[in-house]
Amino acid sequence: HVQLVESGGGSVQAGGSLRLSCAASGYRYASYCMGWFRQVPGDEREGVAFFNHNGEPIYADSVKGRFTISKDKAKSTSYLQMDNLKAEDTAMYYCAADTVCESVVMGRATYWGQGTQVTVS
């Protein structure tokens, strides 16, 4: 079965960096689109970074210039490099995957990871 497992979260001071990883298994990685989301308790889930159907990265305005999404097809893993972190970046971060890229961008992906917590103080 399809499984997404995030890792790399933690606590960091403002201005610091973290790199999140999303390891995928159970499907043909190359045929799926990936994306990263975040959510704070009580708030709606927010899209952070995605790959569009051309494989080009798309970022939320709030993270442009600070976050970078990437992927390693050989390892079936996607990454979210987060630099110059701010307190408002504190959230649970989730990766998502679907064969339809628009579904990921719209937050309607079929597959989701369990999340990894990022806390910026």
Side-chain angles (χ1 to χ4, degrees):
H1 66 283
V2 176
Q3 189 173 21
L4 301 175
V5 179
E6 300 98 334
S7 62
S11 297
V12 64
Q13 290 187 336
S17 299
L18 284 173
R19 188 177 81 154
L20 306 184
S21 299
C22 175
S25 62
Y27 66 91
R28 186 169 175 268
Y29 181 81
S31 62
Y32 277 69
C33 285
M34 302 288 295
W36 287 91
F37 293 77
R38 64 188 182 187
Q39 188 169 24
V40 175
D43 289 354
E44 291 188 0
R45 186 169 56 201
E46 176 190 13
V48 175
F50 323 91
F51 288 108
N52 66 11
H53 63 279
N54 292 322
E56 299 164 337
I58 304 172
Y59 298 98
D61 288 343
S62 59
V63 306
K64 278 182 181 177
R66 300 187 299 119
F67 289 14
T68 304
I69 188 173
S70 62
K71 55 187 174 182
D72 185 335
K73 292 182 180 179
K75 296 182 179 179
S76 297
T77 300
S78 64
Y79 303 96
L80 185 67
Q81 176 68 39
M82 306 185 295
D83 298 317
N84 190 21
L85 282 161
K86 304 176 180 180
E88 51 263 43
D89 295 318
T90 295
M92 184 72 79
Y93 283 72
Y94 301 89
C95 66
D98 200 290
T99 54
V100 180
C101 295
E102 287 73 18
S103 295
V104 177
V105 175
M106 295 296 292
R108 299 170 184 169
T110 302
Y111 303 107
W112 294 83
Q114 82 290 348
T116 185
Q117 178 67 38
V118 171
T119 302
V120 185
S121 59

